[in-house]
Amino acid sequence: MSLAWTPSARLKQIAFERAQPLSASLELTYRCNWRCVFCYNPRHHDLRGLSTARWLSLLDELRALGTLYVALTGGEPLSHPEFLTIARGVRERAFALRILTNGALVTEALADEIARLLPMAVELSLHGARAETHDRATATPGSFAAMLRGLDRLRERGVPLVLKTPVTRLNEDELDGLRAIAEARGIPLRLDAVLTPRDDGDTGPLAYRATPAGLLRLYRALDEQGVLPHEERVKGGANCGLGRTTLAIDPEGNLFPCLQWRRAPLGNVRETPLGVVWSQSEERERAAAAARAANDRLAEAGPALAAFPYCPALAQQLTGDPLQPDAGHVEQAEAAARARLASA
């Protein structure tokens, strides 16, 4: 059973038509206690982070926009000195809360506090089935053991958990072991082979993409579990909620139409009201138009590409065109199609 809350189709349609951002990702800080070799963050320190007071006032502005759930992320959000103050602010305003963390900073006391928040889910990063693999991916000795300690502390308190694993050439041979870790604890595991450039355009993280053989193993395994990614595209639809039902705010107040769309910020909310930036941004309209155009192009691109999830924002980063899939996306789509055919 999925732990992720999803709005009804009717609610999503209304929100889409109104450009109502149902979900907001708040990147509280660039700081992180890990140094993952494929991390998309270009740095691990804040230059001029938003004040806690501004984060809290932004929550009020999100309420006014009709946002329903908020994800606190980073960097490592638990490294923000006022994480709990902001997280409590999220729940006091009746948002559904997700926390995206590596888990290594979860002490017994912090696990108690997180449990009191009653989050929708805490999503933790698992980068390998063995300490050697995981610690190599994070470039942080001891990170595997620290993550499992944090995970188990939260699990003991009944906090809803999800394990998330970017499938890379470092861990592509450990899929069974990764599943074993999750199943032993009764926690859902999400496997995803998508890696992205750093937000400053550095494509170094892509060197860790899974190999073609690793992709095929991954998608065959997902197909056996009945969770192979699949899209049903109809011309005239939209690829995703880009520019309409999602938004992201980085640690310094830059507003984006999603976490991945970094071509240009919609504006900055350090002093300008969020609703003003959101409603008046031409960049947001361009992003929304790209989501529609991408859907229509993919619907005619052949069965493999049409059936596979697509990110216009990632395409924009990699090819300069939100409608043009990069070679890595094509490779993944074709691997998923082969896995589907093999089981037919």
Side-chain angles (χ1 to χ4, degrees):
M1 180 180 67
S2 173
L3 291 170
W5 177 87
T6 55
S8 69
R10 178 59 179 156
L11 175 58
K12 286 194 290 186
Q13 181 60 34
I14 293 172
F16 187 89
E17 293 168 356
R18 296 176 177 174
Q20 174 186 345
L22 294 176
S23 65
S25 296
L26 308 184
E27 297 178 287
L28 300 184
T29 180
Y30 285 121
R31 291 189 292 269
C32 188
N33 51 314
W34 289 358
R35 293 293 183 268
C36 297
V37 294
F38 41 75
C39 181
Y40 61 83
N41 278 334
R43 51 188 163 88
H44 294 90
H45 62 279
D46 297 328
L47 297 177
R48 187 175 173 231
L50 292 180
S51 68
T52 299
R54 184 63 183 123
W55 281 120
L56 294 175
S57 65
L58 282 168
L59 294 176
D60 292 326
E61 294 172 34
L62 286 168
R63 286 282 294 171
L65 281 175
T67 300
L68 297 179
Y69 60 102
V70 170
L72 299 182
T73 181
E76 170 49 55
L78 301 188
S79 68
H80 191 288
E82 296 295 331
F83 166 78
L84 282 174
T85 299
I86 298 168
R88 290 174 186 136
V90 172
R91 296 297 292 124
E92 287 164 0
R93 290 159 178 80
F95 292 109
L97 170 65
R98 287 191 304 138
I99 301 169
L100 282 60
T101 175
N102 63 40
L105 299 180
V106 178
T107 62
E108 296 286 351
L110 185 53
D112 286 338
E113 295 293 344
I114 291 174
R116 292 188 189 103
L117 293 169
L118 300 177
M120 180 176 67
V122 175
E123 303 182 7
L124 300 102
S125 302
L126 175 64
H127 295 300
R130 301 179 301 131
E132 177 185 2
T133 305
H134 186 282
D135 292 359
R136 179 184 175 191
T138 65
T140 307
S143 61
F144 181 72
M147 182 277 297
L148 290 179
R149 283 195 300 271
L151 181 152
D152 287 335
R153 285 165 178 158
L154 293 169
R155 177 171 164 269
E156 289 165 3
R157 290 157 174 83
V159 175
L161 302 174
V162 176
L163 280 169
K164 299 194 305 183
T165 297
V167 177
T168 69
R169 62 186 58 231
L170 301 179
N171 62 21
E172 63 183 26
D173 294 323
E174 299 182 8
L175 300 184
D176 289 342
L178 291 163
R179 283 195 296 271
I181 289 172
E183 290 171 0
R185 292 165 171 80
I187 301 172
L189 173 66
R190 297 178 188 165
L191 301 169
D192 188 352
V194 174
L195 295 182
T196 69
R198 293 192 175 90
D199 287 347
D200 61 3
D202 179 2
T203 59
L206 304 186
Y208 293 92
R209 279 175 165 171
T211 66
L215 286 175
L216 189 57
R217 284 195 300 273
L218 167 65
Y219 291 128
R220 282 177 173 168
L222 294 181
D223 188 56
E224 290 173 1
Q225 298 168 46
V227 292
L228 184 67
H230 183 75
E231 295 286 334
E232 294 287 347
R233 297 188 186 277
V234 178
K235 287 202 69 175
N239 179 78
C240 58
L242 176 67
R244 294 190 179 274
T245 60
T246 64
L247 64 78
I249 303 173
D250 78 7
E252 288 147 18
N254 294 305
L255 176 65
F256 298 93
C258 76
L259 273 174
Q260 195 64 51
W261 186 274
R262 301 290 168 143
R263 184 176 77 166
L266 310 187
N268 191 282
V269 297
R270 182 178 295 277
E271 297 177 354
T272 306
L274 172 60
V276 171
V277 179
W278 180 256
S279 63
Q280 297 182 2
S281 171
E282 294 181 0
E283 181 70 9
R284 182 183 65 77
E285 292 293 347
R286 282 191 287 269
R292 285 191 178 277
N295 177 80
D296 287 354
R297 179 174 291 192
L298 288 166
E300 299 178 338
L305 285 172
F308 197 72
Y310 180 72
C311 178
L314 181 56
Q316 171 68 45
Q317 282 185 289
L318 292 174
T319 70
D321 182 351
L323 310 187
Q324 179 60 51
D326 77 291
H329 177 84
V330 174
E331 184 177 54
Q332 288 193 52
E334 291 177 346
R338 289 197 298 274
R340 189 177 296 108
L341 284 173
S343 65

